Amino acid sequence: MELTAWLSLASICILGAMTPGPSLAMVLKHTISGGRFNGMIVSIAHGLGVALYAVLTVLGMAVIIKETPWLFNIIKYAGVAFLLWLAFKALTSKSALDNIQTKTCKVSWQQSAWEGFSIAFLNPKLALFFLALFSQFIHADASAHQKTVMVATVGAIDTLWYCLIALILSQSSMLTRLRANAHIVDKVTGIALISVAMRVML
């Protein structure tokens, strides 16, 4: 893969990762609840979910999803259900001011890993995004090396970006302020997740 093409691909992936959305909200939530480790686990699991969609795309599965409406609808509505479930949890959570120590130990790393992966994998727009993106860089005679580089680029950029976010948010002074206002963050996150779910459904 030519350097100029790779730089173009990387730039688009960076901009996509930096766009605020439910993934950022998920990293924020788990960093507040469990600290730096949980934030990093969410980031890595999210990167794996994104990379899996990239793999499916280069293998042609995204085309099948796009051309098979019933399969696409299953993924889409599973994603909507997951987003609404996360929104319900966020909106009904108790204030961190009641018991900050309990709040910080509440989220296990397994839960962080599952929710980080699911928020990416249950987003059907990723399949269409990668289908549109990769079509600009890959051809029918593309080598396995080129496909590997593209998948690795996508997964690495996503993982590194959210790990950076988790590291910044987990600084002691910032994390203390965030935890003190975690009830507000939870409510904003819940509203954001509902709006994303409604946009996907409609």
Side-chain angles (χ1 to χ4, degrees), residues 22-23 26 42-57 61-62 65 71-80 82-83 86 113-128 130 158 200:
S23 299
M26 189 60 57
V42 169
S43 303
I44 294 171
H46 186 274
L48 290 175
V50 168
L52 179 57
Y53 256 131
V55 170
L56 294 177
T57 303
M61 290 299 294
I65 293 174
L71 180 57
F72 179 77
N73 284 334
I74 289 175
I75 296 175
K76 180 173 71 173
Y77 289 115
V80 168
F82 181 70
L83 290 174
L86 292 176
W114 167 247
E115 293 190 5
F117 177 83
S118 298
I119 199 70
F121 189 70
L122 291 179
N123 183 359
K125 293 197 298 183
L126 277 179
L128 297 180
F130 287 130
D158 185 87
V200 171

mmCIF file of all heavy atoms in Angstrom, residues 22-23 26 42-57 61-62 65 71-80 82-83 86 113-128 130 158 200:
data_model
loop_
_atom_site.group_PDB
_atom_site.id
_atom_site.type_symbol
_atom_site.label_atom_id
_atom_site.label_comp_id
_atom_site.label_asym_id
_atom_site.label_seq_id
_atom_site.Cartn_x
_atom_site.Cartn_y
_atom_site.Cartn_z
ATOM 1 N N PRO A 22 -21.466 7.561 21.053
ATOM 2 C CA PRO A 22 -21.687 6.622 22.151
ATOM 3 C C PRO A 22 -20.402 5.926 22.607
ATOM 4 O O PRO A 22 -20.286 5.555 23.771
ATOM 5 C CB PRO A 22 -22.690 5.617 21.562
ATOM 6 C CG PRO A 22 -22.566 5.767 20.080
ATOM 7 C CD PRO A 22 -22.243 7.204 19.853
ATOM 8 N N SER A 23 -19.445 5.762 21.715
ATOM 9 C CA SER A 23 -18.182 5.118 22.102
ATOM 10 C C SER A 23 -17.417 5.975 23.107
ATOM 11 O O SER A 23 -16.894 5.472 24.103
ATOM 12 C CB SER A 23 -17.316 4.867 20.868
ATOM 13 O OG SER A 23 -17.974 4.014 19.954
ATOM 14 N N MET A 26 -19.054 5.758 26.391
ATOM 15 C CA MET A 26 -18.781 4.488 27.066
ATOM 16 C C MET A 26 -17.417 4.511 27.744
ATOM 17 O O MET A 26 -17.266 4.054 28.882
ATOM 18 C CB MET A 26 -18.848 3.342 26.045
ATOM 19 C CG MET A 26 -18.794 1.962 26.661
ATOM 20 S SD MET A 26 -20.156 1.649 27.809
ATOM 21 C CE MET A 26 -21.557 1.942 26.734
ATOM 22 N N VAL A 42 -12.044 -0.950 28.093
ATOM 23 C CA VAL A 42 -13.099 -0.542 27.164
ATOM 24 C C VAL A 42 -12.492 -0.134 25.829
ATOM 25 O O VAL A 42 -12.982 -0.508 24.756
ATOM 26 C CB VAL A 42 -13.923 0.631 27.742
ATOM 27 C CG1 VAL A 42 -14.829 1.229 26.680
ATOM 28 C CG2 VAL A 42 -14.766 0.155 28.909
ATOM 29 N N SER A 43 -11.419 0.634 25.877
ATOM 30 C CA SER A 43 -10.776 1.125 24.660
ATOM 31 C C SER A 43 -10.240 -0.016 23.800
ATOM 32 O O SER A 43 -10.428 -0.026 22.573
ATOM 33 C CB SER A 43 -9.638 2.075 25.020
ATOM 34 O OG SER A 43 -10.098 3.156 25.810
ATOM 35 N N ILE A 44 -9.581 -0.976 24.436
ATOM 36 C CA ILE A 44 -9.027 -2.113 23.697
ATOM 37 C C ILE A 44 -10.131 -2.977 23.115
ATOM 38 O O ILE A 44 -10.073 -3.392 21.942
ATOM 39 C CB ILE A 44 -8.114 -2.943 24.623
ATOM 40 C CG1 ILE A 44 -6.883 -2.118 25.017
ATOM 41 C CG2 ILE A 44 -7.691 -4.242 23.940
ATOM 42 C CD1 ILE A 44 -6.035 -2.751 26.096
ATOM 43 N N ALA A 45 -11.173 -3.249 23.925
ATOM 44 C CA ALA A 45 -12.288 -4.070 23.444
ATOM 45 C C ALA A 45 -13.026 -3.372 22.305
ATOM 46 O O ALA A 45 -13.440 -4.019 21.331
ATOM 47 C CB ALA A 45 -13.255 -4.366 24.593
ATOM 48 N N HIS A 46 -13.169 -2.054 22.412
ATOM 49 C CA HIS A 46 -13.815 -1.291 21.346
ATOM 50 C C HIS A 46 -12.986 -1.380 20.068
ATOM 51 O O HIS A 46 -13.529 -1.555 18.964
ATOM 52 C CB HIS A 46 -13.976 0.171 21.764
ATOM 53 C CG HIS A 46 -14.761 0.992 20.802
ATOM 54 N ND1 HIS A 46 -14.194 1.609 19.699
ATOM 55 C CD2 HIS A 46 -16.085 1.313 20.761
ATOM 56 C CE1 HIS A 46 -15.117 2.265 19.031
ATOM 57 N NE2 HIS A 46 -16.271 2.095 19.653
ATOM 58 N N GLY A 47 -11.669 -1.267 20.204
ATOM 59 C CA GLY A 47 -10.793 -1.381 19.040
ATOM 60 C C GLY A 47 -10.908 -2.745 18.377
ATOM 61 O O GLY A 47 -10.875 -2.856 17.143
ATOM 62 N N LEU A 48 -11.063 -3.799 19.189
ATOM 63 C CA LEU A 48 -11.239 -5.145 18.640
ATOM 64 C C LEU A 48 -12.556 -5.259 17.873
ATOM 65 O O LEU A 48 -12.625 -5.902 16.820
ATOM 66 C CB LEU A 48 -11.199 -6.181 19.766
ATOM 67 C CG LEU A 48 -9.830 -6.406 20.425
ATOM 68 C CD1 LEU A 48 -9.963 -7.360 21.607
ATOM 69 C CD2 LEU A 48 -8.829 -6.946 19.413
ATOM 70 N N GLY A 49 -13.614 -4.640 18.414
ATOM 71 C CA GLY A 49 -14.896 -4.653 17.721
ATOM 72 C C GLY A 49 -14.828 -3.943 16.391
ATOM 73 O O GLY A 49 -15.366 -4.413 15.379
ATOM 74 N N VAL A 50 -14.150 -2.807 16.373
ATOM 75 C CA VAL A 50 -13.972 -2.043 15.129
ATOM 76 C C VAL A 50 -13.134 -2.843 14.137
ATOM 77 O O VAL A 50 -13.446 -2.919 12.942
ATOM 78 C CB VAL A 50 -13.317 -0.678 15.427
ATOM 79 C CG1 VAL A 50 -12.859 0.002 14.144
ATOM 80 C CG2 VAL A 50 -14.294 0.218 16.176
ATOM 81 N N ALA A 51 -12.049 -3.462 14.631
ATOM 82 C CA ALA A 51 -11.178 -4.249 13.757
ATOM 83 C C ALA A 51 -11.924 -5.444 13.168
ATOM 84 O O ALA A 51 -11.702 -5.815 12.005
ATOM 85 C CB ALA A 51 -9.953 -4.723 14.531
ATOM 86 N N LEU A 52 -12.831 -6.053 13.953
ATOM 87 C CA LEU A 52 -13.601 -7.185 13.451
ATOM 88 C C LEU A 52 -14.486 -6.755 12.285
ATOM 89 O O LEU A 52 -14.592 -7.466 11.280
ATOM 90 C CB LEU A 52 -14.452 -7.785 14.576
ATOM 91 C CG LEU A 52 -15.334 -8.973 14.179
ATOM 92 C CD1 LEU A 52 -14.490 -10.095 13.591
ATOM 93 C CD2 LEU A 52 -16.112 -9.484 15.393
ATOM 94 N N TYR A 53 -15.123 -5.587 12.405
ATOM 95 C CA TYR A 53 -15.924 -5.073 11.295
ATOM 96 C C TYR A 53 -15.044 -4.814 10.074
ATOM 97 O O TYR A 53 -15.443 -5.060 8.938
ATOM 98 C CB TYR A 53 -16.639 -3.784 11.691
ATOM 99 C CG TYR A 53 -18.114 -3.983 11.960
ATOM 100 C CD1 TYR A 53 -18.705 -3.494 13.112
ATOM 101 C CD2 TYR A 53 -18.923 -4.654 11.046
ATOM 102 C CE1 TYR A 53 -20.051 -3.672 13.373
ATOM 103 C CE2 TYR A 53 -20.264 -4.834 11.299
ATOM 104 C CZ TYR A 53 -20.833 -4.345 12.453
ATOM 105 O OH TYR A 53 -22.160 -4.529 12.701
ATOM 106 N N ALA A 54 -13.828 -4.319 10.310
ATOM 107 C CA ALA A 54 -12.903 -4.074 9.200
ATOM 108 C C ALA A 54 -12.538 -5.379 8.511
ATOM 109 O O ALA A 54 -12.460 -5.447 7.277
ATOM 110 C CB ALA A 54 -11.660 -3.358 9.712
ATOM 111 N N VAL A 55 -12.302 -6.442 9.309
ATOM 112 C CA VAL A 55 -11.996 -7.755 8.743
ATOM 113 C C VAL A 55 -13.158 -8.264 7.914
ATOM 114 O O VAL A 55 -12.990 -8.759 6.788
ATOM 115 C CB VAL A 55 -11.655 -8.766 9.863
ATOM 116 C CG1 VAL A 55 -11.572 -10.183 9.305
ATOM 117 C CG2 VAL A 55 -10.338 -8.395 10.526
ATOM 118 N N LEU A 56 -14.374 -8.163 8.456
ATOM 119 C CA LEU A 56 -15.562 -8.608 7.727
ATOM 120 C C LEU A 56 -15.717 -7.847 6.417
ATOM 121 O O LEU A 56 -16.155 -8.400 5.405
ATOM 122 C CB LEU A 56 -16.813 -8.421 8.595
ATOM 123 C CG LEU A 56 -16.908 -9.289 9.845
ATOM 124 C CD1 LEU A 56 -18.167 -8.952 10.642
ATOM 125 C CD2 LEU A 56 -16.902 -10.768 9.483
ATOM 126 N N THR A 57 -15.351 -6.571 6.437
ATOM 127 C CA THR A 57 -15.471 -5.761 5.233
ATOM 128 C C THR A 57 -14.516 -6.231 4.148
ATOM 129 O O THR A 57 -14.913 -6.420 2.999
ATOM 130 C CB THR A 57 -15.201 -4.275 5.548
ATOM 131 O OG1 THR A 57 -16.110 -3.839 6.561
ATOM 132 C CG2 THR A 57 -15.398 -3.416 4.307
ATOM 133 N N MET A 61 -17.990 -9.523 3.813
ATOM 134 C CA MET A 61 -19.196 -9.732 4.603
ATOM 135 C C MET A 61 -20.056 -8.477 4.659
ATOM 136 O O MET A 61 -21.287 -8.566 4.762
ATOM 137 C CB MET A 61 -18.816 -10.149 6.017
ATOM 138 C CG MET A 61 -18.233 -11.549 6.102
ATOM 139 S SD MET A 61 -19.384 -12.826 5.544
ATOM 140 C CE MET A 61 -20.634 -12.693 6.825
ATOM 141 N N ALA A 62 -19.437 -7.303 4.596
ATOM 142 C CA ALA A 62 -20.223 -6.072 4.650
ATOM 143 C C ALA A 62 -21.151 -5.962 3.453
ATOM 144 O O ALA A 62 -22.246 -5.408 3.544
ATOM 145 C CB ALA A 62 -19.300 -4.863 4.714
ATOM 146 N N ILE A 65 -24.139 -8.021 4.264
ATOM 147 C CA ILE A 65 -25.001 -7.315 5.208
ATOM 148 C C ILE A 65 -25.805 -6.248 4.491
ATOM 149 O O ILE A 65 -27.002 -6.078 4.728
ATOM 150 C CB ILE A 65 -24.154 -6.689 6.334
ATOM 151 C CG1 ILE A 65 -23.535 -7.791 7.193
ATOM 152 C CG2 ILE A 65 -24.985 -5.755 7.197
ATOM 153 C CD1 ILE A 65 -22.568 -7.294 8.233
ATOM 154 N N LEU A 71 -30.869 -9.478 7.466
ATOM 155 C CA LEU A 71 -29.697 -9.613 8.310
ATOM 156 C C LEU A 71 -29.252 -8.256 8.843
ATOM 157 O O LEU A 71 -28.904 -8.112 10.019
ATOM 158 C CB LEU A 71 -28.555 -10.273 7.524
ATOM 159 C CG LEU A 71 -27.240 -10.499 8.263
ATOM 160 C CD1 LEU A 71 -27.469 -11.350 9.511
ATOM 161 C CD2 LEU A 71 -26.226 -11.167 7.342
ATOM 162 N N PHE A 72 -29.286 -7.253 7.974
ATOM 163 C CA PHE A 72 -28.922 -5.904 8.400
ATOM 164 C C PHE A 72 -29.872 -5.402 9.478
ATOM 165 O O PHE A 72 -29.457 -4.776 10.447
ATOM 166 C CB PHE A 72 -28.942 -4.957 7.206
ATOM 167 C CG PHE A 72 -28.603 -3.531 7.560
ATOM 168 C CD1 PHE A 72 -27.297 -3.148 7.786
ATOM 169 C CD2 PHE A 72 -29.603 -2.576 7.680
ATOM 170 C CE1 PHE A 72 -26.974 -1.846 8.118
ATOM 171 C CE2 PHE A 72 -29.295 -1.273 8.019
ATOM 172 C CZ PHE A 72 -27.979 -0.907 8.232
ATOM 173 N N ASN A 73 -31.169 -5.693 9.313
ATOM 174 C CA ASN A 73 -32.157 -5.241 10.297
ATOM 175 C C ASN A 73 -31.954 -5.925 11.644
ATOM 176 O O ASN A 73 -32.150 -5.306 12.697
ATOM 177 C CB ASN A 73 -33.571 -5.520 9.785
ATOM 178 C CG ASN A 73 -33.995 -4.531 8.722
ATOM 179 O OD1 ASN A 73 -33.512 -3.405 8.682
ATOM 180 N ND2 ASN A 73 -34.890 -4.947 7.822
ATOM 181 N N ILE A 74 -31.580 -7.198 11.633
ATOM 182 C CA ILE A 74 -31.302 -7.896 12.896
ATOM 183 C C ILE A 74 -30.179 -7.201 13.647
ATOM 184 O O ILE A 74 -30.273 -6.930 14.847
ATOM 185 C CB ILE A 74 -30.953 -9.375 12.636
ATOM 186 C CG1 ILE A 74 -32.205 -10.144 12.196
ATOM 187 C CG2 ILE A 74 -30.355 -10.019 13.891
ATOM 188 C CD1 ILE A 74 -31.923 -11.589 11.811
ATOM 189 N N ILE A 75 -29.088 -6.896 12.927
ATOM 190 C CA ILE A 75 -27.945 -6.224 13.552
ATOM 191 C C ILE A 75 -28.350 -4.827 14.020
ATOM 192 O O ILE A 75 -27.996 -4.391 15.123
ATOM 193 C CB ILE A 75 -26.766 -6.146 12.564
ATOM 194 C CG1 ILE A 75 -26.271 -7.558 12.233
ATOM 195 C CG2 ILE A 75 -25.631 -5.308 13.140
ATOM 196 C CD1 ILE A 75 -25.187 -7.596 11.181
ATOM 197 N N LYS A 76 -29.100 -4.131 13.177
ATOM 198 C CA LYS A 76 -29.491 -2.759 13.508
ATOM 199 C C LYS A 76 -30.333 -2.707 14.771
ATOM 200 O O LYS A 76 -30.065 -1.910 15.678
ATOM 201 C CB LYS A 76 -30.256 -2.137 12.335
ATOM 202 C CG LYS A 76 -30.699 -0.697 12.608
ATOM 203 C CD LYS A 76 -31.293 -0.062 11.360
ATOM 204 C CE LYS A 76 -32.649 -0.644 11.024
ATOM 205 N NZ LYS A 76 -33.288 0.098 9.902
ATOM 206 N N TYR A 77 -31.360 -3.566 14.847
ATOM 207 C CA TYR A 77 -32.251 -3.508 16.000
ATOM 208 C C TYR A 77 -31.617 -4.112 17.249
ATOM 209 O O TYR A 77 -31.971 -3.734 18.369
ATOM 210 C CB TYR A 77 -33.584 -4.176 15.669
ATOM 211 C CG TYR A 77 -34.395 -3.338 14.695
ATOM 212 C CD1 TYR A 77 -34.677 -3.801 13.411
ATOM 213 C CD2 TYR A 77 -34.815 -2.061 15.039
ATOM 214 C CE1 TYR A 77 -35.382 -3.022 12.509
ATOM 215 C CE2 TYR A 77 -35.518 -1.271 14.146
ATOM 216 C CZ TYR A 77 -35.800 -1.753 12.882
ATOM 217 O OH TYR A 77 -36.485 -0.965 11.994
ATOM 218 N N ALA A 78 -30.684 -5.028 17.074
ATOM 219 C CA ALA A 78 -29.916 -5.502 18.228
ATOM 220 C C ALA A 78 -29.092 -4.356 18.790
ATOM 221 O O ALA A 78 -28.971 -4.187 20.013
ATOM 222 C CB ALA A 78 -29.010 -6.667 17.824
ATOM 223 N N GLY A 79 -28.529 -3.550 17.905
ATOM 224 C CA GLY A 79 -27.776 -2.380 18.334
ATOM 225 C C GLY A 79 -28.649 -1.369 19.044
ATOM 226 O O GLY A 79 -28.253 -0.788 20.063
ATOM 227 N N VAL A 80 -29.849 -1.140 18.519
ATOM 228 C CA VAL A 80 -30.779 -0.208 19.150
ATOM 229 C C VAL A 80 -31.146 -0.689 20.552
ATOM 230 O O VAL A 80 -31.156 0.090 21.509
ATOM 231 C CB VAL A 80 -32.055 -0.054 18.287
ATOM 232 C CG1 VAL A 80 -33.155 0.667 19.068
ATOM 233 C CG2 VAL A 80 -31.736 0.711 17.009
ATOM 234 N N PHE A 82 -29.436 -2.626 22.513
ATOM 235 C CA PHE A 82 -28.272 -2.505 23.387
ATOM 236 C C PHE A 82 -28.080 -1.060 23.841
ATOM 237 O O PHE A 82 -27.815 -0.789 25.015
ATOM 238 C CB PHE A 82 -27.031 -3.008 22.651
ATOM 239 C CG PHE A 82 -25.770 -2.938 23.472
ATOM 240 C CD1 PHE A 82 -25.580 -3.783 24.554
ATOM 241 C CD2 PHE A 82 -24.776 -2.035 23.156
ATOM 242 C CE1 PHE A 82 -24.418 -3.724 25.311
ATOM 243 C CE2 PHE A 82 -23.613 -1.971 23.902
ATOM 244 C CZ PHE A 82 -23.438 -2.817 24.975
ATOM 245 N N LEU A 83 -28.227 -0.112 22.927
ATOM 246 C CA LEU A 83 -28.077 1.303 23.264
ATOM 247 C C LEU A 83 -29.138 1.734 24.274
ATOM 248 O O LEU A 83 -28.844 2.472 25.217
ATOM 249 C CB LEU A 83 -28.164 2.162 22.003
ATOM 250 C CG LEU A 83 -26.990 2.064 21.019
ATOM 251 C CD1 LEU A 83 -27.295 2.867 19.760
ATOM 252 C CD2 LEU A 83 -25.697 2.545 21.655
ATOM 253 N N LEU A 86 -28.267 0.378 27.707
ATOM 254 C CA LEU A 86 -27.216 1.185 28.324
ATOM 255 C C LEU A 86 -27.770 2.526 28.796
ATOM 256 O O LEU A 86 -27.384 3.026 29.860
ATOM 257 C CB LEU A 86 -26.070 1.412 27.331
ATOM 258 C CG LEU A 86 -25.236 0.189 26.950
ATOM 259 C CD1 LEU A 86 -24.205 0.572 25.896
ATOM 260 C CD2 LEU A 86 -24.541 -0.397 28.171
ATOM 261 N N ALA A 113 -15.053 -4.830 29.251
ATOM 262 C CA ALA A 113 -14.662 -5.447 27.986
ATOM 263 C C ALA A 113 -15.889 -5.734 27.123
ATOM 264 O O ALA A 113 -15.901 -5.454 25.916
ATOM 265 C CB ALA A 113 -13.875 -6.736 28.247
ATOM 266 N N TRP A 114 -16.932 -6.284 27.745
ATOM 267 C CA TRP A 114 -18.138 -6.633 26.987
ATOM 268 C C TRP A 114 -18.821 -5.400 26.414
ATOM 269 O O TRP A 114 -19.189 -5.373 25.241
ATOM 270 C CB TRP A 114 -19.104 -7.406 27.879
ATOM 271 C CG TRP A 114 -20.484 -7.532 27.301
ATOM 272 C CD1 TRP A 114 -21.624 -6.961 27.783
ATOM 273 C CD2 TRP A 114 -20.874 -8.250 26.123
ATOM 274 N NE1 TRP A 114 -22.696 -7.274 26.989
ATOM 275 C CE2 TRP A 114 -22.264 -8.061 25.955
ATOM 276 C CE3 TRP A 114 -20.173 -9.013 25.190
ATOM 277 C CZ2 TRP A 114 -22.968 -8.627 24.898
ATOM 278 C CZ3 TRP A 114 -20.878 -9.578 24.124
ATOM 279 C CH2 TRP A 114 -22.257 -9.387 23.995
ATOM 280 N N GLU A 115 -18.993 -4.373 27.229
ATOM 281 C CA GLU A 115 -19.689 -3.184 26.759
ATOM 282 C C GLU A 115 -18.847 -2.414 25.749
ATOM 283 O O GLU A 115 -19.381 -1.823 24.805
ATOM 284 C CB GLU A 115 -20.080 -2.300 27.946
ATOM 285 C CG GLU A 115 -21.128 -2.940 28.836
ATOM 286 C CD GLU A 115 -21.705 -1.993 29.870
ATOM 287 O OE1 GLU A 115 -21.365 -0.800 29.849
ATOM 288 O OE2 GLU A 115 -22.505 -2.456 30.703
ATOM 289 N N GLY A 116 -17.530 -2.415 25.923
ATOM 290 C CA GLY A 116 -16.667 -1.755 24.958
ATOM 291 C C GLY A 116 -16.740 -2.420 23.595
ATOM 292 O O GLY A 116 -16.826 -1.750 22.559
ATOM 293 N N PHE A 117 -16.718 -3.762 23.584
ATOM 294 C CA PHE A 117 -16.811 -4.502 22.323
ATOM 295 C C PHE A 117 -18.191 -4.335 21.702
ATOM 296 O O PHE A 117 -18.324 -4.103 20.496
ATOM 297 C CB PHE A 117 -16.520 -5.981 22.570
ATOM 298 C CG PHE A 117 -16.648 -6.839 21.351
ATOM 299 C CD1 PHE A 117 -15.601 -6.941 20.450
ATOM 300 C CD2 PHE A 117 -17.820 -7.537 21.098
ATOM 301 C CE1 PHE A 117 -15.712 -7.732 19.307
ATOM 302 C CE2 PHE A 117 -17.946 -8.331 19.961
ATOM 303 C CZ PHE A 117 -16.891 -8.435 19.062
ATOM 304 N N SER A 118 -19.233 -4.452 22.522
ATOM 305 C CA SER A 118 -20.603 -4.427 22.009
ATOM 306 C C SER A 118 -20.981 -3.077 21.424
ATOM 307 O O SER A 118 -21.691 -3.009 20.419
ATOM 308 C CB SER A 118 -21.588 -4.805 23.124
ATOM 309 O OG SER A 118 -21.342 -6.111 23.586
ATOM 310 N N ILE A 119 -20.509 -1.979 22.040
ATOM 311 C CA ILE A 119 -20.884 -0.655 21.545
ATOM 312 C C ILE A 119 -20.336 -0.441 20.143
ATOM 313 O O ILE A 119 -20.894 0.337 19.351
ATOM 314 C CB ILE A 119 -20.386 0.456 22.501
ATOM 315 C CG1 ILE A 119 -21.151 1.760 22.273
ATOM 316 C CG2 ILE A 119 -18.909 0.701 22.357
ATOM 317 C CD1 ILE A 119 -22.584 1.726 22.723
ATOM 318 N N ALA A 120 -19.254 -1.163 19.805
ATOM 319 C CA ALA A 120 -18.703 -1.089 18.448
ATOM 320 C C ALA A 120 -19.365 -2.108 17.532
ATOM 321 O O ALA A 120 -19.836 -1.769 16.447
ATOM 322 C CB ALA A 120 -17.192 -1.310 18.474
ATOM 323 N N PHE A 121 -19.428 -3.369 17.978
ATOM 324 C CA PHE A 121 -19.901 -4.430 17.102
ATOM 325 C C PHE A 121 -21.395 -4.325 16.810
ATOM 326 O O PHE A 121 -21.849 -4.753 15.748
ATOM 327 C CB PHE A 121 -19.592 -5.800 17.707
ATOM 328 C CG PHE A 121 -19.868 -6.935 16.768
ATOM 329 C CD1 PHE A 121 -19.069 -7.134 15.657
ATOM 330 C CD2 PHE A 121 -20.928 -7.793 16.984
ATOM 331 C CE1 PHE A 121 -19.324 -8.168 14.771
ATOM 332 C CE2 PHE A 121 -21.191 -8.833 16.109
ATOM 333 C CZ PHE A 121 -20.390 -9.026 14.997
ATOM 334 N N LEU A 122 -22.172 -3.784 17.738
ATOM 335 C CA LEU A 122 -23.610 -3.661 17.508
ATOM 336 C C LEU A 122 -23.974 -2.325 16.866
ATOM 337 O O LEU A 122 -25.106 -1.876 16.963
ATOM 338 C CB LEU A 122 -24.372 -3.842 18.831
ATOM 339 C CG LEU A 122 -24.325 -5.259 19.411
ATOM 340 C CD1 LEU A 122 -25.076 -5.323 20.723
ATOM 341 C CD2 LEU A 122 -24.891 -6.269 18.423
ATOM 342 N N ASN A 123 -23.004 -1.715 16.218
ATOM 343 C CA ASN A 123 -23.248 -0.478 15.468
ATOM 344 C C ASN A 123 -23.218 -0.811 13.984
ATOM 345 O O ASN A 123 -22.143 -0.882 13.376
ATOM 346 C CB ASN A 123 -22.186 0.572 15.805
ATOM 347 C CG ASN A 123 -22.428 1.896 15.101
ATOM 348 O OD1 ASN A 123 -23.379 2.040 14.337
ATOM 349 N ND2 ASN A 123 -21.563 2.851 15.331
ATOM 350 N N PRO A 124 -24.374 -1.033 13.351
ATOM 351 C CA PRO A 124 -24.399 -1.462 11.946
ATOM 352 C C PRO A 124 -23.848 -0.416 10.990
ATOM 353 O O PRO A 124 -23.461 -0.742 9.868
ATOM 354 C CB PRO A 124 -25.896 -1.711 11.690
ATOM 355 C CG PRO A 124 -26.598 -0.840 12.679
ATOM 356 C CD PRO A 124 -25.731 -0.853 13.904
ATOM 357 N N LYS A 125 -23.782 0.831 11.422
ATOM 358 C CA LYS A 125 -23.250 1.860 10.538
ATOM 359 C C LYS A 125 -21.766 1.662 10.269
ATOM 360 O O LYS A 125 -21.243 2.150 9.270
ATOM 361 C CB LYS A 125 -23.501 3.246 11.124
ATOM 362 C CG LYS A 125 -24.969 3.626 11.186
ATOM 363 C CD LYS A 125 -25.165 5.113 11.384
ATOM 364 C CE LYS A 125 -24.578 5.575 12.693
ATOM 365 N NZ LYS A 125 -24.825 7.017 12.925
ATOM 366 N N LEU A 126 -21.073 0.938 11.164
ATOM 367 C CA LEU A 126 -19.654 0.675 10.935
ATOM 368 C C LEU A 126 -19.443 -0.164 9.686
ATOM 369 O O LEU A 126 -18.471 0.042 8.951
ATOM 370 C CB LEU A 126 -19.046 -0.038 12.149
ATOM 371 C CG LEU A 126 -18.620 0.835 13.324
ATOM 372 C CD1 LEU A 126 -18.061 -0.031 14.439
ATOM 373 C CD2 LEU A 126 -17.591 1.856 12.889
ATOM 374 N N ALA A 127 -20.336 -1.125 9.450
ATOM 375 C CA ALA A 127 -20.203 -1.974 8.260
ATOM 376 C C ALA A 127 -20.280 -1.123 6.994
ATOM 377 O O ALA A 127 -19.468 -1.272 6.071
ATOM 378 C CB ALA A 127 -21.297 -3.040 8.248
ATOM 379 N N LEU A 128 -21.261 -0.234 6.943
ATOM 380 C CA LEU A 128 -21.424 0.622 5.768
ATOM 381 C C LEU A 128 -20.295 1.638 5.672
ATOM 382 O O LEU A 128 -19.839 1.982 4.569
ATOM 383 C CB LEU A 128 -22.780 1.336 5.825
ATOM 384 C CG LEU A 128 -24.006 0.413 5.793
ATOM 385 C CD1 LEU A 128 -25.282 1.231 5.855
ATOM 386 C CD2 LEU A 128 -23.983 -0.439 4.531
ATOM 387 N N PHE A 130 -17.125 1.244 6.686
ATOM 388 C CA PHE A 130 -15.929 0.595 6.170
ATOM 389 C C PHE A 130 -16.099 0.171 4.713
ATOM 390 O O PHE A 130 -15.139 0.178 3.942
ATOM 391 C CB PHE A 130 -15.548 -0.610 7.033
ATOM 392 C CG PHE A 130 -14.958 -0.228 8.357
ATOM 393 C CD1 PHE A 130 -15.425 -0.766 9.536
ATOM 394 C CD2 PHE A 130 -13.926 0.686 8.420
ATOM 395 C CE1 PHE A 130 -14.881 -0.405 10.754
ATOM 396 C CE2 PHE A 130 -13.369 1.059 9.630
ATOM 397 C CZ PHE A 130 -13.845 0.511 10.800
ATOM 398 N N ASP A 158 -8.177 3.387 16.383
ATOM 399 C CA ASP A 158 -9.324 3.444 17.290
ATOM 400 C C ASP A 158 -8.899 3.126 18.726
ATOM 401 O O ASP A 158 -9.254 3.855 19.661
ATOM 402 C CB ASP A 158 -10.402 2.453 16.832
ATOM 403 C CG ASP A 158 -11.662 2.546 17.665
ATOM 404 O OD1 ASP A 158 -12.534 3.364 17.336
ATOM 405 O OD2 ASP A 158 -11.776 1.799 18.668
ATOM 406 N N VAL A 200 -30.693 5.728 14.725
ATOM 407 C CA VAL A 200 -30.462 4.472 14.020
ATOM 408 C C VAL A 200 -31.779 3.832 13.621
ATOM 409 O O VAL A 200 -31.955 3.351 12.507
ATOM 410 C CB VAL A 200 -29.650 3.502 14.913
ATOM 411 C CG1 VAL A 200 -29.602 2.107 14.281
ATOM 412 C CG2 VAL A 200 -28.239 4.028 15.123
#
